[in-house]
Amino acid sequence: MARYDHAAFNLEALVGLTAPSQPRVHILMAVYQGEAYLAQQLASLSTQTHTNWRLWAGMDCTPNGQDQSRNILRASAQSPTFVEGPRNGAAANFISLMGAAPAGDIWALCDQDDVWLPHKLARAVSKLNAFSSDVPTLYCARTLIADQHLCHARLSKRRCRAPSFENALVQNIASGNTIVLNGAATQLVSDIIKKVDMPLIHDWWLYQLITGVGGRIIFDDAPVLLYRQHPQNVIGANDSWGARMARIHLIFRGIWAGWTDRNIATLQSIEGHLSPRNRQKLALFARARRAPLLRRLWGLRRSGIYRQGHPASIVMWLAAALGRL
């Protein structure tokens, strides 16, 4: 059984032109019982062609516990800055890291169990540098979805429609393990992070936030990492029929509607930062969800919400009709 060979990619073609000087990137890694795969991820960080980076490790494990993640990090060549996590799940750990990292610099979110391709940071920084640094910008990309042994890698789905706040209200297309934020975006996050209600899912919240304020989303069609699938994944890939059926099950159990309630509450806690247009979109979306059937469907249609792809859109409108959106 052959492992995926990232050397088969033409890295020069994937990276493209890079800036003559390398800006500092802060890699924010949430860590919880990561000893099984952490060493491989750290090794992949050391291969980055963009070498000006600093690692921050959010430790959600107890200092004297049996998990060896802390010792693995201490023994690595990266000399991470440790941030003691809130021990309240992955989203809270990443929010804690974002509250500690220097605002105005570039942040790259990092999962403990993936393997980064050598061009990952360089490509993200190059894409971000192509646009104005004054606009909050979020970079995300496709991944190579692999099993726990990094075998049978397959390319994640291409996004068929443009990113937007209307899409972000009902779907997350910014896979957190690929997210890189420019300085304007990290300053925005730093300014509001202490007054925001705790997000349900940190990467989905970042997608909603950046689109909500009128920022820019860069979705890169090139893969930048091996996304390891294993039984301990917090969420995991959502590109198989089994995963899609599991998501449909969440709709009928009312869990999706609960997620939407939480997302709306989180956005409403910072709605003063949203653009006027998106404040109106959020209010319309929130009202329409609670309306009787015909007014609900009409209001949701007026709000402009959409998901990527026809099957996902059909499921969304089914949920809307059932009052489970």
Side-chain angles (χ1 to χ4, degrees):
M1 185 184 298
R3 293 180 183 271
Y4 175 73
D5 181 8
H6 60 64
F9 274 94
N10 182 338
L11 296 182
E12 290 183 0
L14 285 172
V15 174
L17 297 176
T18 58
S21 61
Q22 295 187 339
R24 172 64 66 91
V25 177
H26 298 274
I27 300 175
L28 311 185
M29 178 190 287
V31 180
Y32 175 72
Q33 297 182 354
E35 59 186 358
Y37 308 115
L38 184 54
Q40 278 188 298
Q41 176 65 302
L42 293 172
S44 77
L45 299 187
S46 69
T47 70
Q48 292 301 296
T49 57
H50 183 104
T51 57
N52 186 13
W53 54 267
R54 176 185 179 188
L55 178 62
W56 296 67
M59 306 304 294
D60 248 13
C61 35
T62 57
N64 299 318
Q66 295 189 1
D67 176 54
Q68 294 300 306
S69 297
R70 198 178 300 263
N71 291 333
I72 293 170
L73 285 159
R74 284 174 176 154
S76 71
Q78 283 78 21
S79 301
T81 298
F82 290 99
V83 176
E84 294 306 318
R87 302 190 181 100
N88 193 30
N93 198 357
F94 273 110
I95 293 296
S96 175
L97 277 166
M98 288 187 274
D105 286 350
I106 297 172
W107 298 348
L109 306 192
C110 180
D111 287 356
Q112 64 188 7
D113 44 9
D114 296 328
V115 169
W116 285 13
L117 301 181
H119 66 279
K120 181 187 185 301
L121 283 183
R123 185 169 179 86
V125 170
S126 176
K127 294 283 188 180
L128 290 171
N129 284 343
F131 296 95
S132 169
S133 61
D134 296 331
V135 178
T137 303
L138 181 154
Y139 166 94
C140 56
R142 297 171 80 183
T143 65
L144 292 159
I145 303 169
D147 65 19
Q148 62 184 4
H149 306 294
L150 302 183
C151 298
H152 305 296
R154 65 186 187 278
L155 189 60
S156 64
K157 291 183 64 177
R158 176 179 280 116
R159 300 305 177 183
C160 58
R161 301 185 67 177
S164 70
F165 186 63
E166 292 87 342
N167 180 224
L169 285 172
V170 292
Q171 184 181 25
N172 180 30
I173 66 168
S175 183
N177 52 1
T178 71
I179 286 178
V180 183
L181 300 169
N182 74 347
T186 65
Q187 187 63 63
L188 170 68
V189 171
S190 181
D191 289 344
I192 68 174
I193 205 164
K194 291 183 179 178
K195 55 188 174 185
V196 69
D197 289 348
M198 179 56 64
L200 173 72
I201 303 171
H202 61 283
D203 49 2
W204 195 354
W205 174 67
L206 287 171
Y207 179 37
Q208 292 175 335
L209 173 65
I210 300 303
T211 55
V213 301
R216 180 184 297 110
I217 303 295
I218 301 170
F219 188 88
D220 193 348
D221 270 334
V224 296
L225 57 83
L226 287 161
Y227 182 12
R228 192 194 303 265
Q229 300 295 290
H230 57 83
Q232 286 73 47
N233 282 121
V234 174
I235 295 180
N238 185 26
D239 70 335
S240 67
W241 280 108
R244 293 183 186 119
M245 292 305 297
R247 295 298 199 271
I248 292 173
H249 189 53
L250 294 177
I251 293 171
F252 287 99
R253 290 171 58 196
I255 294 175
W256 187 3
W259 288 355
T260 306
D261 289 339
R262 180 84 170 270
N263 287 340
I264 289 173
T266 303
L267 286 168
Q268 287 174 337
S269 71
I270 54 166
E271 63 182 353
H273 292 269
L274 304 181
S275 69
R277 174 184 180 275
N278 288 331
R279 281 200 300 272
Q280 293 176 355
K281 290 281 184 179
L282 176 63
L284 176 57
F285 176 63
R287 286 197 308 271
R289 291 178 66 238
R290 303 303 182 193
L293 177 60
L294 293 180
R295 285 173 51 198
R296 181 192 319 145
L297 296 177
W298 174 246
L300 291 173
R301 185 173 181 82
R302 285 184 58 217
S303 74
I305 57 170
Y306 63 89
R307 287 172 62 87
Q308 303 284 331
H310 294 300
S313 296
I314 291 170
V315 171
M316 180 189 74
W317 287 110
L318 173 63
L322 295 173
R324 300 297 179 93
L325 179 61

